[in-house]
Amino acid sequence: MNKKIVVSLSVVVVVAAIAVGATTAFFSDTETSTGNTFTAGAIDLQIDSTASYNGEPVVAATWQLKDLNPTSDKFFNFADIKPGDEGENTISLHVINNDAWVCAEVLNLTNADNGCTEPESDPTSGNDTTCGTPGAGEGELQNAMVWTVWRDNGASDNSCNNVLDGDETVLVSGQPVNGVLPVYDSTTSTGALAGGSTACLGVSWELPLATGNEVQTDSLTGDISFNVVQSRNNTDFQCIPQE
């Protein structure tokens, strides 16, 4: 009698388990987003140049928009300048894709005497007191030349007209020296150069007519560098010498 009762209860339990498994269900929904991607932006600076010397075009220093070749692209390369000579170069800076701060730098200036002619050392006509002393840094050409750099983008000139107009900002004027020039940074009150836009720099130079014989055979060489840095998340950027 007891055995039959145990068997009957076991059957009931099995049937109940089967019934629960067959009728259970849950509401559900699935949402999917595929191909999520982060792509870094880019900043690319390209430069074109238009140059003149004593009012005539300088083919070697004039080129269309491109990346510069640091050894062959020279803004200035003159071997026989004389008192009264002058030149002008309009340098057009194109920043691609993103807003950027823009810095220009002159570095590695070398002011060489390159020996002396007789008029150069003559105290009555030249008075070069370093004549014949070997080494760089003793030439007089650097101090004799006068340079002016300005933003060639005035409201009245349609930008890049190769002329310093009355409403344009002079960035520096005087003898050439090593240093960094803030074209657009947090100190210039201009904001950043907008991506896809163009900034024009006018650069004029002259060897004044009153220059004496002390500059004969002297040479001035140096490097010119342009640097752009993103402005987004970089509101306090200032142009400083590059390492």
Side-chain angles (χ1 to χ4, degrees):
M1 183 68 179
N2 290 337
K3 291 181 178 180
K4 291 181 179 180
I5 293 175
V6 171
V7 170
S8 298
L9 290 174
S10 299
V11 171
V12 170
V13 170
V14 171
V15 171
I18 294 172
V20 171
T23 60
T24 299
F26 297 97
F27 291 153
S28 64
D29 184 19
T30 301
E31 305 290 344
T32 303
S33 172
T34 62
N36 293 278
T37 304
F38 290 94
T39 301
I43 290 180
D44 183 21
L45 175 65
Q46 294 186 324
I47 294 176
D48 61 39
S49 174
T50 303
S52 65
Y53 175 41
N54 289 336
E56 297 296 326
V58 180
V59 176
T62 300
W63 56 77
Q64 298 297 315
L65 186 66
K66 67 174 181 176
D67 296 319
L68 296 185
N69 183 317
T71 58
S72 63
D73 291 328
K74 294 179 173 60
F75 295 108
F76 312 100
N77 189 21
F78 303 106
D80 186 25
I81 67 171
K82 297 177 177 64
D85 283 356
E86 62 183 8
E88 195 276 340
N89 195 309
T90 298
I91 301 170
S92 181
L93 310 172
H94 302 248
V95 62
I96 313 300
N97 298 335
N98 280 285
D99 298 355
W101 304 117
V102 183
C103 309
E105 184 172 8
V106 175
L107 62 164
N108 301 322
L109 282 181
T110 300
N111 191 33
D113 218 348
N114 301 319
C116 287
T117 64
E118 181 269 329
E120 188 176 1
S121 58
D122 186 344
T124 64
S125 62
N127 199 26
D128 186 348
T129 58
T130 62
C131 236
T133 304
E138 296 174 344
E140 286 71 39
L141 186 59
Q142 179 176 355
N143 290 334
M145 296 189 75
V146 178
W147 291 66
T148 302
V149 181
W150 70 95
R151 289 197 190 93
D152 192 16
N153 58 354
S156 61
D157 73 350
N158 198 28
S159 188
C160 298
N161 72 340
N162 309 80
V163 177
L164 176 56
D165 296 299
D167 60 348
E168 294 174 335
T169 301
V170 174
L171 300 178
V172 65
S173 182
Q175 284 70 44
V177 294
N178 288 318
V180 175
L181 187 64
V183 184
Y184 294 90
D185 77 358
S186 62
T187 70
T188 60
S189 302
T190 58
L193 180 62
S197 65
T198 301
C200 294
L201 286 181
V203 182
S204 68
W205 63 268
E206 65 172 323
L207 184 61
L209 189 59
T211 305
N213 287 327
E214 64 272 12
V215 303
Q216 285 194 26
T217 71
D218 293 1
S219 63
L220 176 65
T221 62
D223 303 329
I224 301 172
S225 174
F226 294 97
N227 182 43
V228 293
V229 178
Q230 73 177 63
S231 62
R232 187 192 303 172
N233 307 321
N234 194 16
T235 56
D236 296 326
F237 175 81
Q238 296 184 28
C239 295
I240 60 173
Q242 297 299 301
E243 294 292 338

